[in-house]
Amino acid sequence: MSTENRKKIGIMGGTFDPIHFGHLIIAENAREQFALDQVLFIPTGHSPHKQDQYITTAVHRCRMVSLAIYDHPQFVLNKIEIESPEISYTYLTLQKLKEEYINAELYFILGADSLFDFELWKEPELILENANILAAYRGYKHQKNFSVQLDHLNQKYPEKFFPLCTPNFEVSSHNIRDRVCRRQTIRYLVPKEVEDYIREYHLYEGEVSL
């Protein structure tokens, strides 16, 4: 199949604990800038980086993702990691997705900070066999360093890394959890449906972390 006819699928992974507008802004800008046909939101199952950290149950995290993307026809919840008993290594997830979407071109979306850690990830070469990398820098504070790192990786792995420019929206799931616990507003940080869900199920209450 020619490159022109291949479906282009973005992959947005994360714990989504909870999903917030920062995630959605990155996904939408990736869709637009790289003409993606779909963006898969893949909640982490068993993260290799958070084995000792409490994570909200998969049921709640998946429901919040569904609520956040329900009105976007090109955003899709994918439970491939949630339904797997294996540790959620990116290279394994991409191998499985490549088998499922045989003729698709995959684009893995990550943040600027992750770009500097990429070579330390498990099996980076296998990741790049199955996907291109879109690095969202969101007005990254060390723009020059970001550009240098992007050039370094593209020299080592030619034409596999692409900058993704997105509006700067400073929010994190960690911050949202703390704000809920402190009874501070999270309005305009998450979709209203997600905010209502958090309130209904009393998520993140009593979870202040320093």
Side-chain angles (χ1 to χ4, degrees):
M1 180 178 289
S2 68
T3 302
E4 290 78 9
N5 295 323
R6 295 177 69 184
K7 194 170 187 180
K8 299 171 72 173
I9 297 178
I11 298 159
M12 189 83 182
T15 51
F16 300 124
D17 196 15
I19 189 170
H20 53 67
F21 278 128
H23 297 127
L24 298 171
I25 287 170
I26 291 175
E28 176 65 1
N29 279 268
R31 184 199 64 78
E32 180 183 64
Q33 290 175 39
F34 292 88
L36 304 180
D37 297 290
Q38 275 187 338
V39 178
L40 306 181
F41 285 75
I42 303 181
T44 300
H46 307 281
S47 172
H49 307 296
K50 300 186 179 182
Q51 294 296 298
D52 300 322
Q53 179 179 330
Y54 175 78
I55 299 175
T56 304
T57 62
V59 170
H60 284 313
R61 291 185 290 119
C62 286
R63 285 178 179 170
M64 287 189 285
V65 170
S66 293
L67 289 168
I69 66 175
Y70 80 95
D71 61 347
H72 197 309
Q74 291 161 301
F75 286 179
V76 178
L77 170 66
N78 185 296
K79 299 181 181 179
I80 188 171
E81 292 191 357
I82 294 295
E83 295 173 348
S84 173
E86 300 175 307
I87 292 178
S88 302
Y89 289 114
T90 299
Y91 84 95
L92 289 176
T93 298
L94 290 173
Q95 285 178 337
K96 294 174 185 177
L97 289 173
K98 198 66 176 179
E99 292 173 1
E100 181 177 351
Y101 299 94
I102 298 174
N103 294 316
E105 190 171 1
L106 304 183
Y107 292 80
F108 187 77
I109 304 164
L110 49 73
D113 289 331
S114 296
L115 193 69
F116 292 85
D117 299 332
F118 182 80
E119 291 173 284
L120 301 177
W121 288 20
K122 194 172 183 65
E123 306 292 354
E125 290 82 6
L126 292 181
I127 292 173
L128 297 175
E129 278 185 17
N130 293 302
N132 298 307
I133 304 297
L134 306 183
Y137 53 89
R138 292 189 298 174
Y140 190 62
K141 58 186 177 182
H142 302 301
Q143 181 61 47
K144 182 178 179 180
N145 291 346
F146 174 87
S147 298
V148 169
Q149 178 67 3
L150 196 71
D151 288 344
H152 160 71
L153 290 171
N154 272 324
Q155 287 176 11
K156 188 172 182 178
Y157 309 104
E159 298 182 10
K160 296 299 293 185
F161 291 82
F162 302 89
L164 169 59
C165 182
T166 68
N168 191 15
F169 187 79
E170 290 295 334
V171 63
S172 70
S173 296
H174 172 88
N175 176 249
I176 291 169
R177 294 194 301 269
D178 277 1
R179 291 184 68 86
V180 171
C181 184
R182 298 177 193 276
R183 294 183 168 82
Q184 296 174 335
T185 181
I186 58 171
R187 193 174 186 179
Y188 307 125
L189 298 178
V190 300
K192 184 179 186 303
E193 295 81 2
V194 174
E195 180 183 6
D196 291 344
Y197 187 92
I198 290 170
R199 304 300 184 194
E200 179 181 357
Y201 288 93
H202 306 284
L203 302 181
Y204 314 126
E205 296 176 3
E207 283 193 29
V208 172
S209 56
L210 301 177

